[in-house]
Amino acid sequence: MAATISLHLGPAHADRYENNPATRETPWVKWTVIGISLAFFALFLLLPLVVVFYEALRKGWDAYLAALVDPDALSSVRLTLLAAAISVPLNLVFGVAAAWAIAKFDFPGKSFLITLIDLPFSVSPVVAGLIFVLVFGRTGWLGPWFIENDMKIVFAVPGIVLATIFVTFPFVARELIPLMEAQGRDEEEASTVLGASGWQTFWHVTLPNIKWGLIYGVILCNARAMGEFGAVSVVSGHIRGETNTMPLHVEIVYSEYKFAAAFAVASLLAILALLTLLVKTWIEWRAARAGDEEAAGR
């Protein structure tokens, strides 16, 4: 299974690497590297996570719950979930379509399309937000037309959704492109020769082969959508109760020296990140298990 290659190499590969004299390191080198890695993990990842929950609960559960049920906090949670709920499915459709076209077909402009997919990775999110302001702002290229037709993009929910879509759309496509290229076109071509339509080939051949990579890409896309700050900050206008997502609400409350409330909302983002990590780990385990079962059945 090609998804196994992209997600997990499996224990057999690790054992073969460890038992090979050409790649085996001395114990002190191995434990030194492991110690440095664990120290880095504890200092830069685990400690900040502990601090977030400690500061969030330092004044007790009552203050913690009061910060979470604050109307502005609830509004930021709803807006964050709304932006993710719109941007992730759209990026899912785009990512699958782009990956299928790039991996399964040859056409003029293929390299240019790949470059465009990588564009959000190379452009600062703040610059991306400024681009949307330039295009859809009151004095922008299209802003006056939207204002005349009573439609507000910048400093409103549509602008936040557009910015979120822009910064997250490479994730699904970039996860699927190498996976589908590794699988090749043989199965799709065989399906077509046997009389299947393009839609049937996609549902019964392509989709089952990419399902784990697809879910993996969706999880990464969703995590970025809920945690995006730079682009959303530029286009939101920081309107309390209307255009503040969870990261923006944390920044505003923290700047007002309401540390417990800021860390309380930040803890929600941390919990979402941990859930994302658990789902990611489960997907990697399922993909590795499916690959082992497929290898055993051959």
Side-chain angles (χ1 to χ4, degrees):
M1 182 176 180
T4 306
I5 298 174
S6 67
L7 297 177
H8 189 71
L9 291 177
H13 294 79
D15 292 340
R16 186 160 58 248
Y17 182 91
E18 190 70 20
N19 295 327
N20 189 344
T23 56
R24 186 172 62 243
E25 296 288 351
T26 57
W28 74 269
V29 173
K30 179 174 67 174
W31 289 111
T32 299
V33 173
I34 292 175
I36 293 174
S37 301
L38 291 178
F40 185 90
F41 168 77
L43 182 61
F44 294 102
L45 297 177
L46 185 59
L47 181 59
L49 187 63
V50 172
V51 169
V52 167
F53 286 99
Y54 172 78
E55 291 292 337
L57 297 171
R58 188 173 60 173
K59 293 186 177 180
W61 281 100
D62 292 339
Y64 180 78
L65 295 177
L68 296 182
V69 299
D70 179 78
D72 290 342
L74 292 177
S75 175
S76 70
V77 173
R78 287 193 295 268
L79 182 55
T80 301
L81 296 178
L82 176 63
I86 296 175
S87 61
V88 173
L90 291 177
N91 284 322
L92 169 64
V93 175
F94 167 79
V96 173
W100 196 12
I102 291 170
K104 305 298 182 180
F105 302 97
D106 295 318
F107 54 89
K110 183 175 179 179
S111 299
F112 182 66
L113 177 59
I114 296 175
T115 302
L116 289 180
I117 292 175
D118 290 336
L119 185 62
F121 286 148
S122 58
V123 175
S124 169
V126 174
V127 174
L130 290 174
I131 292 173
F132 283 107
V133 173
L134 176 63
V135 175
F136 298 106
R138 180 177 297 274
T139 59
W141 297 345
L142 303 178
W145 183 87
F146 281 102
I147 292 175
E148 291 176 0
N149 290 273
D150 198 24
M151 291 184 289
K152 193 174 183 180
I153 304 297
V154 177
F155 307 148
V157 175
I160 294 174
V161 173
L162 287 175
T164 304
I165 291 173
F166 178 83
V167 298
T168 58
F169 84 80
F171 286 92
V172 176
R174 263 300 163 198
E175 185 64 31
L176 293 180
I177 289 173
L179 174 60
M180 298 176 75
E181 287 180 338
Q183 291 174 348
R185 311 176 186 179
D186 294 342
E187 294 186 16
E188 283 81 1
E189 291 174 352
S191 176
T192 303
V193 170
L194 293 175
S197 64
W199 195 244
Q200 290 173 326
T201 299
F202 173 76
W203 278 106
H204 298 289
V205 177
T206 303
L207 189 59
N209 287 336
I210 66 172
K211 62 180 180 180
W212 295 116
L214 180 62
I215 296 173
Y216 190 79
V218 167
I219 289 174
L220 295 178
C221 180
N222 182 69
R224 178 62 188 275
M226 290 190 295
E228 173 57 27
F229 179 85
V232 171
S233 177
V234 175
V235 301
S236 71
H238 297 276
I239 304 174
R240 286 180 177 270
E242 295 184 19
T243 63
N244 278 339
T245 59
M246 292 172 66
L248 300 184
H249 180 73
V250 170
E251 183 210 18
I252 290 177
V253 176
Y254 187 85
S255 65
E256 295 175 346
Y257 304 102
K258 300 176 182 178
F259 300 126
F263 281 105
V265 179
S267 69
L268 287 182
L269 289 171
I271 291 172
L272 291 174
L274 292 175
L275 291 176
T276 300
L277 181 62
L278 290 175
V279 175
K280 169 181 170 291
T281 304
W282 178 80
I283 289 174
E284 291 177 342
W285 174 78
R286 284 288 298 152
R289 183 179 177 182
D292 293 340
E293 291 175 354
E294 181 178 330
R298 291 177 180 173

